[in-house]
Amino acid sequence: MINKRLLIKNLLAHNDECSFYDKKRQLNLHSREGKAKFLKHICALSNSNPTNNSYIVVGVEDESNEIVGDDFFDDSRIQNLVNAFLENPPKILYENVPFPNLPKDKVVGLVTIKPKSKISYFKKNIHTIFANQTFIRRGSNSTPIETEIEPNYQNKETVIAIENISRNSIEYTLDGVIDFINFRHKDIASKYKVFKELFVICWAGNPKKIRNTAYLSRVDIELINEQVKLFYSAQDVVTISFDDNSFTIIEYVSLGLNDKTSFYPLEKVTILFYDNGYYKMETQMLFQPPEYNRKMLFHIYNSNLSLLSKLQKGLTLTEREEKDLENVPSTLMICYLNGFEDARQILISSKNVLKNHSKSAVYFSFKEAMRILRKMKYNTSEGFK
């Protein structure tokens, strides 16, 4: 098994951006431009590496190579975005990798692009990229190409060597368990479980019981062997169950109007472990959005638009409006899920003004709402815009 933290360090130490790896300060999948850039790099790296993995590291300063981290990004269905726009799409994996010097809520993202023999190309337009366009890597650049692509095997030995020196050891595993329990989460109840004598999962959270159901809040779950964070949230709650062969996480989100909230199951993730040292993750979307009276929602929707307008104009908000502002993103999401089609774009357009607000909880609420909307959108291949 590859220790993903070691792999990232070795990629950064090996060379600057090249034909088998790229680095980004952050991903922006809220906009068509951000999606187009991401898909272009996926296409180019895949075409340039038909026999070896290629990588994108997210959360690294471009010039200084400093590891600064990015938000935890849990969209397991990001593969559907790639499938929606690329013909012959490569298989990709996005993993969240914790680093000791980063805050608890920050990780480094690692995108692994699996090798394949067929050429990837765009099957429909997005932003400035047209259907049938294809790309390759020339040094650190993803470049459009119109001629036939010659197979490139020059990176295979280099990438395999980097992966081999990044493999896990008993020392790394034990250090990871001790660090997780004794240092990173010494103030929260922590547990661990060994599967198939090979895999170690650690988790921590505050237990709470509601209507006979045991939940965990402030949850952190990590697959220690690979230094991969499986789940992190300072707000949402989960239930955890396991047997000798599997570990299951069900995530719940708190939603409602007028300070009346309930827990709604969002997603179920099951990790299946096998005797041959292999594991796989299965994801099932569970979310059924709450339905509300449309007349009542229309009144609340207009109130939210008025509040955002005041904020954008720099007008002073009342104490009550400041409190209501924290609920604006989730309320707009509820409105969108109940048929107010413009609510999603209004939410996206408000990103900067919410991000710059003095209360960090306001922008955190925005990110949570967008995360749920992305999960719902990526649940199927339809509707990518």
Side-chain angles (χ1 to χ4, degrees), residues 218-248:
R218 291 183 62 198
V219 183
D220 192 2
I221 306 172
E222 190 172 314
L223 178 59
I224 298 294
N225 308 68
E226 298 194 354
Q227 292 291 311
V228 171
K229 195 180 287 285
L230 300 174
F231 184 88
Y232 178 84
S233 177
Q235 182 174 349
D236 297 327
V237 299
V238 305
T239 58
I240 289 174
S241 60
F242 54 85
D243 54 29
D244 290 339
N245 303 308
S246 65
F247 186 90
T248 300

Side-chain angles (χ1 to χ4, degrees), residues 232-293:
Y232 178 84
S233 177
Q235 182 174 349
D236 297 327
V237 299
V238 305
T239 58
I240 289 174
S241 60
F242 54 85
D243 54 29
D244 290 339
N245 303 308
S246 65
F247 186 90
T248 300
I249 308 161
I250 298 180
E251 178 188 359
Y252 295 78
V253 292
S254 178
L255 290 176
L257 299 173
N258 299 325
D259 299 326
K260 296 179 180 179
T261 60
S262 299
F263 286 137
Y264 294 85
L266 177 63
E267 185 177 53
K268 177 181 178 181
V269 177
T270 302
I271 309 165
L272 302 169
F273 299 97
Y274 300 92
D275 292 322
N276 61 359
Y278 172 74
Y279 74 92
K280 70 175 182 178
M281 297 177 64
E282 295 181 346
T283 304
Q284 180 184 358
M285 193 70 175
L286 304 176
F287 188 56
Q288 294 294 328
E291 296 182 2
Y292 292 92
N293 177 275

